[in-house]
Amino acid sequence: MSAYMLRYVVMLVCITLIAGSTANPWLFNSPNSRQSQLSLLKRSPHSFYLDTQQASLLIPQLPDDSVLALRRLGQPDAAFEWAHRLLEKGDLSTAVMLASAYWQTVSIQARSRLLQSLTAIQAVPEIIQLSAQFSLPQPYMTLSQLMQGVSSSQLGRSDLNRLAVETVGDVSWENSECQRRVLMLSDSWLGLSKLEQLKAQYLAAPLPYAGSYCFAGPIYMGADLQCGVKAHKYAHCDVINMPGRAHWSSADHLVLMTELGAANVSRGVMTLNLKSDYKVFIHELMHFSGFEDEYAIGAEKAKWLCATPGHKAPNLYVGHTPPKGWYPSHSCEVGELPAYKPQQAMSNMQYQSLALSVRYKELWLLAFQQQRNKPTNFQRFIQAKLAARG
């Protein structure tokens, strides 16, 4: 008999003796016996086969070398656990490939644990890849659909509740005493996360003052938002044809999140992309109060904005006789008349990455107070559209 065969026989005999022994740790189920089971698995991975059902529950608690040893023995739960550890180490592609190979052989609990970790790191392509190969346990199958922008009307309400995802029928205002109500909507799951982040940052230090804006959402719309990129590379979504008009048409402003296109404000609607940071958000929010960009505006807009003298915005004077303490601005470089701004230094309306200055915060506060009892651009726009439709 070869040395290898002799070693294998001895191992089997030992396992058999342990299995029949009154000291067999697999025969008990208590905190102390659990520690004994873990110790036994660490010393002898082959002891896994004494009670595979009980031992498989302990695999997530084993050190890497023990999990690897069990994987080499062909144990599927150990291989799946190793995929989870590869994920924690940042080797995402190998982790998903290994998990896919053993997906059908492990428990729903093990699959859900892996999907929970993938969700935590926003591994959208990987979750979508798994959903294309397998029927994922809920709510993760619904989550994969959210990640792909499926219309909310095609998704189960109970699964959306488990994922804490609100749809247009859930619109509610946290503070009805605020001056302007802003509804946040997204066409993707990642967009919800981004909007939630921006909302939290704003509420931590409201501008131009506490109670000026309150927010509902973010709300998931999926494909119903119908977003794309229009002329000049700006992000754009089809607001007019969104479902649930009764829930969103009463907002003073909309903030929309989509994947592509430059951030902008048009007719009281702010459209952002997934890379828009908080400084971009504040820049665009100031447009709600009428602030103009201080870089050269487009020729089409400059044609009418820069054609006559006067105050055109809280930060823009057009003409040859600016107020005292105003400085040349780039806004009307392609317009007929020159432009001026209220501070010499560059502001966040010229470079979005710059912080909001004290001077511009004062101007924002003044502009907001002057406009707070007037209908917003969005309300004027949407009411005119609704009236035209009858």
Side-chain angles (χ1 to χ4, degrees):
M1 180 183 296
S2 68
Y4 177 81
M5 286 297 296
L6 179 61
R7 182 182 175 187
Y8 184 71
V9 170
V10 170
M11 182 190 70
L12 288 176
V13 170
C14 290
I15 289 175
T16 303
L17 290 173
I18 292 172
S21 168
T22 56
N24 181 357
W26 299 109
L27 298 178
F28 305 97
N29 188 13
S30 68
N32 289 337
S33 64
R34 194 175 184 85
Q35 288 304 313
S36 298
Q37 293 161 2
L38 279 169
S39 297
L40 180 59
L41 276 173
K42 292 174 185 178
R43 294 194 310 271
S44 176
H46 290 82
S47 63
F48 178 92
Y49 296 100
L50 291 172
D51 189 335
T52 56
Q53 184 175 0
Q54 181 71 12
S56 63
L57 299 177
L58 300 176
I59 286 179
Q61 301 175 48
L62 291 173
D64 286 357
D65 56 351
S66 299
V67 174
L68 275 174
L70 284 169
R71 182 191 171 192
R72 293 189 189 103
L73 290 173
Q75 216 298 310
D77 291 284
F80 202 82
E81 173 63 24
W82 190 248
H84 197 275
R85 297 192 185 191
L86 288 174
L87 175 62
E88 292 174 340
K89 297 175 190 294
D91 191 352
L92 193 55
S93 60
T94 306
V96 172
M97 183 171 62
L98 181 60
S100 297
Y102 291 92
W103 192 268
Q104 304 284 25
T105 64
V106 299
S107 66
I108 290 179
Q109 290 77 12
R111 298 174 200 169
S112 296
R113 179 169 168 259
L114 182 76
L115 288 165
Q116 184 178 20
S117 295
L118 288 169
T119 303
I121 62 172
Q122 298 186 339
V124 171
E126 289 73 22
I127 292 176
I128 292 175
Q129 175 187 334
L130 288 170
S131 72
Q133 293 178 268
F134 311 104
S135 179
L136 305 185
Q138 290 291 15
Y140 296 103
M141 200 67 191
T142 296
L143 177 61
S144 72
Q145 293 174 297
L146 288 170
M147 290 174 170
Q148 296 173 77
V150 171
S151 170
S152 60
S153 62
Q154 300 178 33
L155 305 174
R157 183 68 262 178
S158 62
D159 294 321
L160 291 173
N161 289 341
R162 289 176 66 186
L163 293 166
V165 170
E166 295 183 336
T167 56
V168 71
D170 301 316
V171 172
S172 64
W173 305 98
E174 296 174 0
N175 180 8
S176 59
E177 301 301 319
C178 67
Q179 297 297 321
R180 297 296 194 197
R181 303 192 305 175
V182 181
L183 178 57
M184 307 181 102
L185 306 126
S186 174
D187 64 355
S188 72
W189 178 77
L190 278 178
L192 294 177
S193 177
K194 185 69 178 182
L195 287 173
E196 198 65 66
Q197 176 189 342
L198 295 173
K199 176 181 173 182
Q201 286 180 271
Y202 175 86
L203 293 177
L207 291 168
Y209 62 89
S212 50
Y213 292 104
C214 59
F215 298 86
I219 299 296
Y220 176 80
M221 296 295 290
D224 291 332
L225 202 50
Q226 298 183 43
C227 296
V229 178
K230 65 176 184 179
H232 308 300
K233 308 293 184 182
Y234 289 110
H236 173 74
C237 303
D238 184 5
V239 173
I240 296 301
N241 293 309
M242 283 196 307
R245 184 186 306 155
H247 301 284
W248 55 259
S249 61
S250 62
D252 294 303
H253 296 286
L254 301 182
V255 174
L256 313 179
M257 180 66 69
T258 188
E259 181 180 3
L260 303 173
N264 67 95
V265 167
S266 177
R267 294 168 175 164
V269 177
M270 182 192 307
T271 310
L272 303 171
N273 64 59
L274 293 175
K275 294 183 179 180
S276 299
D277 62 17
Y278 186 63
K279 288 182 178 178
V280 170
F281 176 70
I282 291 299
H283 172 100
E284 303 300 342
L285 196 64
M286 291 174 74
H287 281 310
F288 284 171
S289 292
F291 280 76
E292 285 291 346
D293 293 317
E294 292 175 357
Y295 48 79
I297 60 178
E300 185 178 342
K301 183 175 182 179
K303 186 175 181 180
W304 58 265
L305 183 62
C306 305
T308 57
H311 278 279
K312 305 296 183 176
N315 64 326
L316 175 62
Y317 178 85
V318 173
H320 295 286
T321 56
K324 185 178 179 180
W326 283 57
Y327 302 88
S329 169
H330 295 286
S331 297
C332 291
E333 277 188 355
V334 296
E336 182 179 342
L337 297 174
Y340 293 85
K341 59 181 183 175
Q343 73 178 29
Q344 187 172 18
M346 290 183 293
S347 77
N348 67 317
M349 298 311 294
Q350 182 173 0
Y351 288 101
Q352 298 171 343
S353 59
L354 295 176
L356 178 66
S357 70
V358 173
R359 175 64 172 143
Y360 276 57
K361 184 177 179 180
E362 292 171 348
L363 288 171
W364 190 5
L365 177 60
L366 178 61
F368 190 93
Q369 290 175 335
Q370 290 173 341
Q371 300 165 12
R372 63 183 181 179
N373 294 320
K374 300 176 182 178
T376 62
N377 287 343
F378 173 68
Q379 273 302 310
R380 287 195 292 267
F381 165 69
I382 198 64
Q383 294 307 324
K385 286 290 184 180
L386 295 179
R389 288 190 170 191

